[in-house]
């Protein structure tokens, strides 16, 4: 099965002068009919009978019967259990009803960070089946990190008891720049040797299914749009406050990736008032050059805890951070005019730290109010630490859904 990633870059067009004519063969027509019947099974409530499917698709009863048997044989649908009719008289055997089997196949989402790798196995309805996490060294080499990705994914599959041959797509979320075809990492400054590791090929060889890689902030935006606070917003900017600042941009309801896939790389902005020689927003702890990375993270967490408990110095630090963030990204917001800005970070994952998150949000919103023409709504991510991996599942699922909408009986062949 050739991979198509509807949430990523556009499909490559045919070369000029070599466009293929539109030809519909018998197999294509049968695949289209199978897709229509499967869609009717998934969307009809309660579970439909054959007569309901024939009416919904405008296909003949014999055609529907034949395709339903094919979809049943390949495991995409099954006969639904009969509803109890206790106390009711029935003249004969009740008509069969059919339902979709979400566990007919699976997708995998991966979240790669400097110090951890997480993998989520989800079914065809996007429900989580298994999650595995593993801590890794920040200085781990690219090939070793790629092997860690494969190991964590295999552990998630094994722990679920799922057939690995029925994993139909996987997406890896990562810091850094990713090419337009979602096949290679172009640049990842904070992960040693990661751009040269070719993790897509490594995982694809291990799973035998299409694999994509995408920027973590982009996936966080997709996750928030799918399962978080961004569901009603077609124009949204998701700001990922990680070790390096990044943004995922939704415009027209779709992910904006840019000419070479680098849209949203706000970590390269020279923020106003910065005294650092490096681009990006200076962290909560000043004089980073004089501290180790672990000490900086620990001190930042202390500030968040202090702000949540009302410590004046910590409150001032969080407020300053929020204002500097808004001032730095204001030109981006002016250019995009989003309806919603979502701030996502794992710093406020614990419920008792939420006051610090709200303080950051309020400071950023207040500062932006004096810099923008039309004010977007500002929200904290409701997915928190799970935004990236949720978006990775969504990205992988989009490829499978494209096949389910067009030629569904091709998918289960790998699992037989």
């Amino acid at each position: 099965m050739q991979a198509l990633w509807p949430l990523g870059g556009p499909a490559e067009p045919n070369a000029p002068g070599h466009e293929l004519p539109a030809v519909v063969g018998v197999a294509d027509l049968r695949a289209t009919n199978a897709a229509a019947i499967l869609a009717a099974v998934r969307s009809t409530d309660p579970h439909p009978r054959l007569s309901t499917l024939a009416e919904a698709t405008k296909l003949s009863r014999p055609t529907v019967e034949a395709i339903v048997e094919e979809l049943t044989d390949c495991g995409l649908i099954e006969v639904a259990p009969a509803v109890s009719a206790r106390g009711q008289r029935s003249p004969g055997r009740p008509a069969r009803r059919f339902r979709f089997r979400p566990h007919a196949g699976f997708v995998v989402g991966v979240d790669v960070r400097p110090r951890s790798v997480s993998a989520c196995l989800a079914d065809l309805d996007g429900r989580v089946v298994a999650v595995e996490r593993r801590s890794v060294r920040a200085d781990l080499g690219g090939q070793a990190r790629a092997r860690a990705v494969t190991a964590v994914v295999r552990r998630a599959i094994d722990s679920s008891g799922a057939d690995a041959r029925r994993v139909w797509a996987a997406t890896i979320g990562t810091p850094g720049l990713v090419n337009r075809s979602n096949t290679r990492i172009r640049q990842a400054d904070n992960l040693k040797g990661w751009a040269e590791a070719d993790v897509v090929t490594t995982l694809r060889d291990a799973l035998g299914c299409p694999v994509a890689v995408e920027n973590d902030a982009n996936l966080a935006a997709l996750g928030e749009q799918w399962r978080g606070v961004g569901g009603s917003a077609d124009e949204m900017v998701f700001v990922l406050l990680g070790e390096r600042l990044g943004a995922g941009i939704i415009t027209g309801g779709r992910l904006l990736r840019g000419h070479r896939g680098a849209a949203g790389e706000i970590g390269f902005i020279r923020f106003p008032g910065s005294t650092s020689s490096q681009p990006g927003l200076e962290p909560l702890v000043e004089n980073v050059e004089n501290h180790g990375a672990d000490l900086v993270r620990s001190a930042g967490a202390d500030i968040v805890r202090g702000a949540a408990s009302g410590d004046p110095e910590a409150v001032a630090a969080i407020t300053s951070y929020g204002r500097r963030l808004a001032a730095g990204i204001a030109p981006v917001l002016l250019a995009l005019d989003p309806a919603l800005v979502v701030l996502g970070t794992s710093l406020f994952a614990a419920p008792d730290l939420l006051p610090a998150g709200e303080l950051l949000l309020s400071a950023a919103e207040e500062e932006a109010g004096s810099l923008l023409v039309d004010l977007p709504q500002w929200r904290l991510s409701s997915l928190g630490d799970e935004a990236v991996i949720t978006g990775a599942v969504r990205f992988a699922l989009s490829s499978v859904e494209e096949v389910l909408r067009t030629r569904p009986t091709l998918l289960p062949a790998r699992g037989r």
Side-chain angles (χ1 to χ4, degrees), residues 85-97:
R86 183 178 299 174
Q88 299 181 11
R89 298 180 60 187
S90 175
R93 188 176 66 179
R96 292 184 302 167
R97 294 180 179 270

Side-chain angles (χ1 to χ4, degrees), residues 9 16 36 63 67 122 132 135-136 150 155 173 179 197 284 287 301 304 306 340 367 369 381 394 400:
T63 298
I67 293 177
E132 291 289 337
S135 296
V136 297
T150 300
R155 201 163 68 196
N179 68 2
L284 288 170
N287 300 321
V304 169
L340 177 66
E367 181 70 16
S381 166
R394 180 71 190 97
V400 176

Side-chain angles (χ1 to χ4, degrees), residues 34 48 92 111 156 192 208 211 217 222 233 271 292 296 303 321 330 338 361 366 375 384-385 396:
D111 181 6
K192 176 183 174 183
V211 177
L222 290 175
F271 278 72
V296 169
I303 290 175
Y321 187 81
L361 188 74
E366 182 180 356
L375 303 184
D385 217 24

Side-chain angles (χ1 to χ4, degrees), residues 229-230 235-239 241 266 271 321-334 338-344 357-372 374-382:
V229 299
E235 307 291 334
M236 178 182 76
V237 173
F238 184 103
V239 181
L241 303 174
I266 60 176
F271 278 72
Y321 187 81
R323 288 174 177 167
R324 287 185 285 124
L325 171 67
I329 68 172
V332 177
L333 301 182
L334 282 168
L340 177 66
V341 177
V342 180
L343 302 185
E358 295 289 353
L359 183 65
L360 172 66
L361 188 74
S362 298
E365 185 174 15
E366 182 180 356
E367 181 70 16
S370 63
L371 301 172
L372 305 180
D374 294 304
L375 303 184
Q377 184 182 12
W378 290 69
R379 300 282 299 276
L380 289 175
S381 166
S382 63

Side-chain angles (χ1 to χ4, degrees), residues 299-313:
D302 288 343
I303 290 175
V304 169
R305 284 192 292 270
S309 61
D311 176 75
E313 290 187 5

